[in-house]
Amino acid sequence: MNQQTATPQLRTTERTFTVLLSPTRRGARLARLHAVAHLDLWGLRSESPAHIVAELATNATVHGRVTGRDFQLRLTVHPDSRLRIEVTDTRGDRLPAAATPDPLADSGRGLLIVEALADRWGIVPGPVPRKTVWAELDLVP
């Protein structure tokens, strides 16, 4: 009789979703809706990622907009229990920075929100004329 011990196996598959969206308010809204739908489909909590996607997509439509060029949203769940959110736009010449805005300003807090919600975030310049702003969240089992 051959006996084998059952050993738990880690997930080794990477799940990815990518979509191109128009650099408009509607495109930013759709980015958030797509993110929530896919994270729910994958069985992941979507509250913090939805806020991060909303901020990065809004930045892509406001600061990264080039007429006729879409922005890209990519969600990746890595096998090491990490969610990576990437938003790529075509204004690589404008690199964002999380800075404290004037207390009376109506805007300028988006990357501060990303910084507060994400475990890590950053910017990858290029390839010209693009840039990708990314944020990562550690997934708690």
Side-chain angles (χ1 to χ4, degrees):
M1 178 184 217
N2 187 4
Q3 293 182 341
Q4 293 181 347
T5 304
T7 56
Q9 295 186 3
L10 300 174
R11 288 188 206 163
T12 57
T13 58
E14 181 176 280
R15 290 174 280 175
T16 302
F17 169 74
T18 305
V19 64
L20 289 174
L21 297 161
S22 63
T24 61
R25 291 188 340 187
R26 181 175 182 266
R29 181 176 174 270
L30 285 173
R32 182 183 175 282
L33 292 173
H34 279 300
V36 168
H38 277 81
L39 293 171
D40 288 347
L41 180 70
W42 294 338
L44 299 174
R45 296 183 58 167
S46 60
E47 185 176 340
S48 290
H51 288 300
I52 291 170
V53 168
E55 293 300 335
L56 296 182
T58 298
N59 282 353
T61 63
V62 173
H63 306 293
R65 181 182 182 153
V66 174
T67 304
R69 294 185 182 167
D70 295 337
F71 74 93
Q72 177 181 281
L73 167 67
R74 177 184 295 264
L75 305 173
T76 306
V77 178
H78 293 275
D80 61 355
S81 297
R82 180 173 42 103
L83 169 66
R84 184 173 175 103
I85 300 164
E86 298 177 345
V87 174
T88 302
D89 66 47
T90 53
R91 286 301 302 261
D93 59 326
R94 290 188 178 177
L95 298 178
T100 305
D102 181 288
L104 300 176
D106 290 335
S107 62
R109 293 170 182 82
L111 288 178
L112 293 175
I113 293 169
V114 171
E115 187 172 59
L117 294 175
D119 293 303
R120 292 163 297 285
W121 77 277
I123 303 161
V124 177
V128 174
R130 298 175 198 83
K131 73 173 172 299
T132 299
V133 182
W134 59 269
E136 290 182 342
L137 294 149
D138 295 328
L139 302 175
V140 179

